[in-house]
Amino acid sequence: MRRLNELHDAAFVSGASKGLGRAFARMLLAEGVRVWGTSRDPGRLAELASAHPGAFFPVALDLADRAGAIRAFEGASAAAGKGFDLVINNAGYGVFGGFADLESSVWRSQIEDMVGTVLELSHAAFRSMLSRRRGCLVHISSIAAELPLPYMSGYNVAKAGLSALSESLMFETRGTGIRVIDFRPGDYKTEFNEAMPTDSSSEIALRARAALEATFAGSPPSERAAMDLRRALLAKRSGIVRSGSLFQARIAPLLSRILPDSVMRWGTARYFGL
Ligand SMILES: NC(=O)c1ccc[n+]([C@@H]2O[C@H](COP(=O)([O-])OP(=O)(O)OC[C@H]3O[C@@H](n4cnc5c(N)ncnc54)[C@H](OP(=O)(O)O)[C@@H]3O)[C@@H](O)[C@H]2O)c1
């Protein structure tokens, strides 16, 4: 199998306006797969649409509007003909701040958007794939699902929840012809951090944020994540895919399996200046 269009005809990619989602959409289009990509403002998708007429279709979707997001997915699915045989739930955002410094509603909204709404989108996609006994569901989680980031409690909960959903579905898809990929990127150079204000003025939180920015500055480009995802899709297997720098994607997860929790937490805290 050399090209993804031998496996997939129509893909849904949430958050395709920039960053990882745009790189995934471009990779799929280059592989001959039709793509329905989302943004809260479809105007941000105009460039992709004009570069790929008849192959890229902009969709308005806001994770904060759950009913609207499901309607948008169902509408796009109908427009795709037989529905989507590849769904990449990628859209997401960070919130940085002390747990007690921010209102609980901020954390709750993040979890509702990035777990609650994504669960509904995956539920709709999963039902449609089951009826045809084919397809691949991809959750763009994060290394934070297994190695939580300081001062990003809602994000850590959301990504751990999403990864738990992926792993649950891996059991249920055995023998169905459907695959589930839990894709866990480490840091990639996108606009993720710019879209995440530092909602904390405490000195310790600011130190943690500076350490986060320093790692982010040296991170690889999104196209590399897209190549890792392409390889995972061509492998035609369910599973967890860690993608990123050698340290974040390989060494840190390995250390977390062999070192005691307390040692991992000590090392992480030191790194972030806590
Ligand atoms: N970059 C990293 O280092 C990294 C590492 C691990 C995991 N991730 C995950 O990868 C995914 C993509 O992140 P990225 O780095 O590419 O960030 P990004 O450059 O900020 O892009 C985020 C994408 O998600 C969409 N989005 C954000 N909030 C949304 C909302 N409330 N409703 C609907 N769409 C929303 C944005 O679309 P609009 O703004 O146009 O609506 C945009 O297309 C996220 O789930 C993130 O958690 C990223």
Side-chain angles (χ1 to χ4, degrees):
M1 182 74 58
R2 293 277 65 91
R3 264 167 72 87
L4 279 172
N5 64 354
E6 293 168 39
L7 270 182
H8 299 292
D9 165 50
F12 181 86
V13 181
S14 71
S17 60
K18 54 185 175 167
L20 296 179
R22 184 168 56 190
F24 297 148
R26 282 187 175 146
M27 177 276 287
L28 291 167
L29 289 161
E31 294 279 315
V33 179
R34 295 181 300 150
V35 176
W36 276 255
T38 84
S39 166
R40 284 165 291 184
D41 173 2
R44 294 182 193 140
L45 300 163
E47 198 186 310
L48 271 177
S50 60
H52 302 276
F56 181 84
F57 307 93
V59 177
L61 183 147
D62 185 347
L63 293 174
D65 171 10
R66 190 167 301 164
I70 301 305
R71 273 198 306 278
F73 176 82
E74 298 289 9
S77 180
K82 294 181 195 148
F84 295 112
D85 51 23
L86 175 59
V87 170
I88 304 178
N89 274 318
N90 161 78
Y93 60 92
V95 175
F96 187 94
F99 184 59
D101 293 342
L102 302 188
E103 294 304 322
S104 59
S105 58
V106 174
W107 301 119
R108 201 177 57 240
S109 295
Q110 185 176 32
I111 294 162
E112 284 174 359
D113 293 353
M114 288 171 54
V115 182
T117 303
V118 174
L119 180 144
E120 294 289 348
L121 291 171
S122 294
H123 189 261
F126 196 50
R127 278 193 166 174
S128 156
M129 288 176 189
L130 273 176
S131 69
R132 289 183 293 146
R133 296 188 73 77
R134 69 183 291 262
C136 181
L137 178 61
V138 181
H139 289 147
I140 306 304
S141 178
S142 168
I143 294 291
E146 50 195 303
L147 298 167
L149 292 161
Y151 291 91
M152 291 183 66
S153 46
Y155 186 77
N156 297 328
V157 171
K159 292 305 189 185
L162 190 59
S163 287
L165 176 62
S166 304
E167 292 191 60
S168 307
L169 299 183
M170 285 176 206
F171 289 120
E172 297 188 29
T173 44
R174 286 171 72 86
T176 62
I178 299 166
R179 287 167 288 126
V180 180
I181 294 175
D182 195 59
F183 192 85
R184 299 182 186 172
D187 287 328
Y188 273 100
K189 208 170 281 164
T190 67
E191 292 173 40
F192 182 87
N193 275 10
E194 283 106 271
M196 178 173 71
T198 302
D199 286 325
S200 188
S201 54
S202 85
E203 204 181 302
I204 194 163
L206 293 176
R207 271 207 306 276
R209 180 68 194 237
L212 200 70
E213 295 296 343
T215 328
F216 209 70
S219 57
S222 304
E223 288 69 27
R224 193 159 129 193
M227 283 302 105
D228 284 348
L229 180 59
R230 176 181 179 274
R231 209 170 304 118
L233 291 169
L234 286 172
K236 296 201 278 178
R237 274 195 305 272
S238 288
I240 297 167
V241 177
R242 296 178 182 86
S243 167
S245 69
L246 178 69
F247 182 76
Q248 292 186 344
R250 300 268 176 272
I251 299 173
L254 178 67
L255 289 177
S256 78
R257 284 196 287 279
I258 53 183
L259 293 176
D261 291 351
S262 55
V263 175
M264 279 306 288
R265 226 170 354 261
W266 174 82
T268 307
R270 262 190 77 95
Y271 176 78
F272 283 101
L274 309 181

